[in-house]
Amino acid sequence: MDKVYVFDLDNTLIATDIANNLAYTEAINSVMKRKFVIDFVKRFTRSELNKLIPHLSQEQYEHIVALKEQVFGLYICKTTLNENLVDILKQLYEYGAHTILLTNSHSERATQLCSYYKISHYFAQSFYYEDCRGDKYSFLKSKGYNIESIILYENDDYSIQEAIGEGIHLENIIKVHFKNMEQFTILSRDSWCRSREGGYKKCLH
């Protein structure tokens, strides 16, 4: 049985929390016309929007999410490539293995990240949020992949449990660890990009 090697993107191949949170900060403050403070200790997600702004309208919500996607590229310099994992990806590519990028990221942002780090061509196929709609492993089944043949590289505990629930063997799941984000103070985009590099230590366990 030929193995299929599946790679998650955010915080697996590329650490994106800082860029993500900076983009959300800009989008929220732009739409709401006032300064909101985001907790940079963890990744800010859509589900956090209504917690941060309880009376947020649907129109404002959608505007913030769309603007966040638009401005993400301005902070792409604050992402970090997992060089250890990419070395594995390159070796698999050279051996002719079937590699897949499977991510809940929207295609525009994922493509932007992969292009920035020049890793797009290492994948035989790439599937994005528009393809799987947040149900990554059921989607793979629907595409005819044998779940038992999958080797998965993933960082998120919830996604790992989801994968196990869909039949991917625990011994075929490699959990990838990035060091947690360091807390820091947000100034402006320009002042942050001029500040000292840091935030992540790359490691693969």
Side-chain angles (χ1 to χ4, degrees), residues 172-189:
N172 289 345
I173 299 174
I174 296 90
K175 182 171 183 181
V176 179
H177 296 270
F178 275 96
K179 188 171 181 175
N180 290 334
M181 285 174 52
E182 294 177 356
Q183 192 169 7
F184 57 89
T185 301
I186 295 302
L187 300 174
S188 67
R189 180 200 315 152

Side-chain angles (χ1 to χ4, degrees), residues 44-81:
F44 191 87
T45 65
R46 298 181 186 195
S47 62
E48 302 294 324
L49 270 175
N50 288 317
K51 297 177 184 177
L52 181 68
I53 314 170
H55 303 296
L56 190 69
S57 71
Q58 186 63 28
E59 182 180 1
Q60 289 170 324
Y61 174 91
E62 292 174 359
H63 191 182
I64 289 169
V65 171
L67 184 56
K68 174 259 178 181
E69 293 293 326
Q70 291 174 25
V71 303
F72 178 86
L74 299 173
Y75 301 107
I76 203 167
C77 63
K78 306 319 299 177
T79 61
T80 304
L81 185 68

Side-chain angles (χ1 to χ4, degrees), residues 60-118:
Q60 289 170 324
Y61 174 91
E62 292 174 359
H63 191 182
I64 289 169
V65 171
L67 184 56
K68 174 259 178 181
E69 293 293 326
Q70 291 174 25
V71 303
F72 178 86
L74 299 173
Y75 301 107
I76 203 167
C77 63
K78 306 319 299 177
T79 61
T80 304
L81 185 68
N82 187 339
E83 295 177 0
N84 293 334
L85 187 55
V86 170
D87 284 344
I88 293 173
L89 174 62
K90 289 177 179 178
Q91 290 175 35
L92 291 169
Y93 172 81
E94 291 169 359
Y95 294 153
H98 191 83
T99 54
I100 295 174
L101 176 67
L102 181 66
T103 175
N104 282 324
S105 171
H106 285 79
S107 58
E108 182 177 358
R109 185 168 70 83
T111 301
Q112 191 176 34
L113 281 163
C114 290
S115 296
Y116 182 78
Y117 286 108
K118 298 180 173 59

Side-chain angles (χ1 to χ4, degrees), residues 15-30:
T16 58
D17 282 355
I18 292 175
N20 172 81
N21 289 14
L22 285 166
Y24 261 119
T25 297
E26 179 164 335
I28 291 167
N29 293 344
S30 175

